[in-house]
């Protein structure tokens, strides 16, 4: 069974940092680009960042560019999102998602994790 | 950037109703459009890809159509399990979601 399990969310003060993880199983992780998508309370879905299967290419939404860093460890089948300089507007559920076509990070996402909640507040 | 606009934002309907949700792209995206269903507290679930292809396991009462800039998601006979929020996503480039359409009980 293909599965994605996020962890690492929590309460952090504005300006603080947090690292999210996503453990993948049931598919050849290194063959797939991966994405993070977030959803602020009561709001819609927003794509945040993506990384190629090799990890050599990364992509970011303008709203997080320069503050967030996506990475992966293919030996551990794990995706990461390092979030620095956090703001109140980063408060959201963060989902890890797998595109149906591993070569294209922007493809539709056929597998999603259950999400991890990040709250930025003093 | 391509913008995705869904309408309506909220839709009130009854069980058995035929429901149609529209998604418009600010420029042509060919058929590179997906639809998702999301229930409160849950992750999105893929329903439709490539504008009209039904994801495996999704009931046949769901259908998608359109190309270019205008797309529709239709539920032929609304069931109690279908009350949820629906999102479109373009994947021509840079994943971009519509703002969502909440289907609520009338």
């Amino acid at each position: 069974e293909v599965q994605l399990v996020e962890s690492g969310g929590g309460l952090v003060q504005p300006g603080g940092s947090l690292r999210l993880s996503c453990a993948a199983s049931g598919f050849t992780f290194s063959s797939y680009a991966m994405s993070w998508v977030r959803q602020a309370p009561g709001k819609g879905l927003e794509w945040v960042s993506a990384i190629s299967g090799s990890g050599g290419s990364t992509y970011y939404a303008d709203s997080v560019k320069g503050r967030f860093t996506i990475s992966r460890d293919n030996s551990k089948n794990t995706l990461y999102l390092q979030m620095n300089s956090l703001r109140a507007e980063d408060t959201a559920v963060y989902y890890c998602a797998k595109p149906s076509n591993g070569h294209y990070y922007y493809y539709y996402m056929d597998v999603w994790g259950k999400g991890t909640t990040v709250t930025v507040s003093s | 950037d391509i913008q995705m606009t869904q309408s309506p934002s909220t839709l009130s309907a009854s069980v058995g109703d035929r429901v149609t949700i529209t998604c418009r792209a600010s420029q042509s995206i060919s058929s590179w459009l997906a639809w998702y269903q999301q229930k409160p507290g849950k992750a999105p679930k893929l329903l439709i890809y490539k504008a009209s292809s039904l994801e495996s396991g999704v009931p046949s009462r769901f259908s998608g159509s359109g190309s270019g800039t205008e797309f529709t998601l239709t539920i032929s006979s609304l069931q109690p399990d279908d009350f949820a929020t629906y999102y479109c996503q373009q994947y021509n480039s840079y994943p971009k979601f519509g703002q969502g359409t909440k289907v609520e009980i009338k």
Side-chain angles (χ1 to χ4, degrees):
Chain A
E1 180 194 5
V2 177
Q3 196 170 12
L4 300 171
V5 179
E6 303 93 338
S7 60
L11 174 64
V12 61
Q13 292 187 339
S17 298
L18 209 57
R19 189 176 85 153
L20 307 183
S21 299
C22 170
S25 59
F27 65 103
T28 306
F29 183 68
S30 60
S31 295
Y32 284 83
M34 294 293 294
S35 274
W36 289 98
V37 176
R38 69 184 180 183
Q39 186 170 37
K43 302 296 184 183
L45 301 169
E46 179 190 19
W47 172 80
V48 171
S49 182
I51 187 168
S52 64
S54 67
S57 297
T58 57
Y59 311 87
Y60 298 94
D62 287 344
S63 57
V64 306
K65 203 172 291 182
R67 300 188 298 122
F68 289 11
T69 302
I70 191 171
S71 62
R72 65 193 296 159
D73 185 337
N74 286 342
S75 69
K76 296 182 178 179
N77 286 355
T78 302
L79 176 72
Y80 303 101
L81 186 67
Q82 177 68 43
M83 303 185 296
N84 298 333
S85 302
L86 283 161
R87 307 166 179 167
E89 54 265 36
D90 295 318
T91 294
V93 175
Y94 285 73
Y95 295 102
C96 169
K98 168 190 163 294
S100 66
N101 186 321
H103 294 293
Y104 303 109
Y105 78 93
Y106 49 83
Y107 238 62
Y108 64 90
M109 298 162 215
D110 60 353
V111 181
W112 297 67
K114 293 184 177 181
T116 188
T117 300
V118 173
T119 303
V120 184
S121 175
S122 54
Chain B
D1 279 4
I2 298 175
Q3 300 302 314
M4 306 300 294
T5 305
Q6 286 182 234
S7 60
S9 297
T10 306
L11 188 160
S12 297
S14 302
V15 172
D17 284 353
R18 181 181 181 88
V19 166
T20 299
I21 298 168
T22 298
C23 177
R24 289 186 173 88
S26 59
Q27 63 190 73
S28 178
I29 57 170
S30 185
S31 296
W32 304 121
L33 187 99
W35 290 96
Y36 302 87
Q37 177 193 67
Q38 187 181 34
K39 296 180 179 178
K42 301 294 185 182
K45 172 188 173 184
L46 177 67
L47 299 177
I48 301 279
Y49 60 93
K50 209 172 179 185
S52 60
S53 296
L54 195 67
E55 173 70 347
S56 177
V58 173
S60 59
R61 63 181 180 273
F62 291 93
S63 64
S65 65
S67 66
T69 62
E70 187 150 339
F71 303 86
T72 58
L73 173 70
T74 299
I75 309 172
S76 60
S77 178
L78 197 65
Q79 298 301 301
D81 192 47
D82 301 338
F83 291 98
T85 300
Y86 294 85
Y87 294 93
C88 61
Q89 180 220 330
Q90 70 89 9
Y91 57 101
N92 183 68
S93 65
Y94 183 92
K96 183 73 175 181
F97 296 91
Q99 80 277 19
T101 295
K102 183 178 181 180
V103 176
E104 60 181 26
I105 301 172
K106 189 173 184 178

